Amino acid sequence: MNFDTYKIKDELLEIYSGSEETFCVGKILSKNRDSILFRSYDAQGKNDGLHFIKSSNISEIKSNTQYLRKMQLYLAYWREQEDAPLTNPFKKHPALSGLLAYAMENKKIITVFCSSKPDELLTGYVETYDNKKIKLNCVDMETACIYETATLLKEDIFYLEVDSLDNELLKYANEKIER
């Protein structure tokens, strides 16, 4: 494999060493014709260590994909953020309506599990809600783009996640992409 077309330390790449579905994300730190050394990043854009791979084990390298554009934004997020102290934004234990109001007012991405769709995780922005229904603008975890509006019954929600690192990263990327 010829690595000459890839920039050292600057270019974020998908590096495949097996199937089309298994790859690492990283930046090449050094290379020769037999191998590469690269800084790897996990799915949240955090440092995942140094990886050494022999070129004979690399099946493909991709650059400038939609997934990598999202990952670039995740890396930028980490450069801009500091660990925030653990705080509870609620004075007392909130009801589901309180969490939905908090998410909607603060433009937070939430993740929900519903009893009507127990195998499906929905992630997105609360567009509207009332006593019975919620409209959720769903955000694709792979591309950080809004792909549909789902209407959920409030009584079906048995799990809601807000202010998670995954959702904050996704929001950060979505805001940059949707501009």
Side-chain angles (χ1 to χ4, degrees):
M1 170 132 327
N2 184 358
F3 302 115
D4 292 338
T5 59
Y6 304 106
K7 298 176 189 158
I8 296 217
K9 296 183 184 174
D10 290 336
E11 195 170 6
L12 196 61
L13 304 167
E14 293 175 13
I15 302 166
Y16 294 80
S17 59
S19 75
E20 177 66 24
E21 296 177 18
T22 305
F23 63 92
C24 295
V25 171
K27 292 182 179 182
I28 296 175
L29 299 177
S30 63
K31 61 187 176 183
N32 65 24
R33 64 184 180 105
D34 297 326
S35 61
I36 62 171
L37 177 69
F38 66 95
R39 166 77 56 202
S40 179
Y41 299 97
D42 69 11
Q44 293 179 336
K46 290 183 176 179
N47 174 17
D48 200 25
L50 298 175
H51 292 228
F52 171 90
I53 299 181
K54 289 185 176 182
S55 55
S56 59
N57 287 1
I58 297 174
S59 58
E60 185 176 9
I61 294 180
K62 293 182 182 178
S63 63
N64 200 29
T65 66
Q66 201 166 9
Y67 180 74
L68 288 174
R69 286 189 284 281
K70 179 188 87 163
M71 290 301 296
Q72 284 283 22
L73 294 169
Y74 280 15
L75 294 175
Y77 176 87
W78 290 116
R79 286 190 300 268
E80 294 175 10
Q81 301 300 315
E82 295 180 8
D83 286 342
L86 181 61
T87 59
N88 184 348
F90 304 100
K91 302 233 184 291
K92 60 181 184 172
H93 186 74
L96 182 58
S97 294
L99 289 167
L100 294 170
Y102 171 77
M104 195 166 111
E105 290 165 11
N106 294 286
K107 295 179 176 65
K108 299 281 187 175
I109 287 183
I110 64 169
T111 299
V112 294
F113 273 116
C114 298
S115 56
S116 59
K117 300 176 183 187
D119 297 331
E120 190 175 355
L121 192 67
L122 295 171
T123 300
Y125 296 97
V126 177
E127 182 180 305
T128 61
Y129 71 95
D130 59 28
N131 289 335
K132 295 187 186 273
K133 293 181 183 175
I134 299 164
K135 280 194 175 181
L136 190 69
N137 289 326
C138 298
V139 179
D140 187 301
M141 299 294 285
E142 293 297 313
T143 65
C145 296
I146 293 174
Y147 66 95
E148 75 172 337
T149 300
T151 302
L152 311 171
L153 292 177
K154 208 165 140 185
E155 67 186 26
D156 284 350
I157 294 175
F158 65 87
Y159 173 87
L160 185 146
E161 174 184 290
V162 65
D163 284 342
S164 70
L165 180 57
D166 284 335
N167 288 350
E168 288 300 307
L169 282 168
L170 190 60
K171 175 185 175 191
Y172 180 84
N174 172 260
E175 288 174 345
K176 299 285 186 183
I177 288 170
E178 297 285 331
R179 279 189 200 177

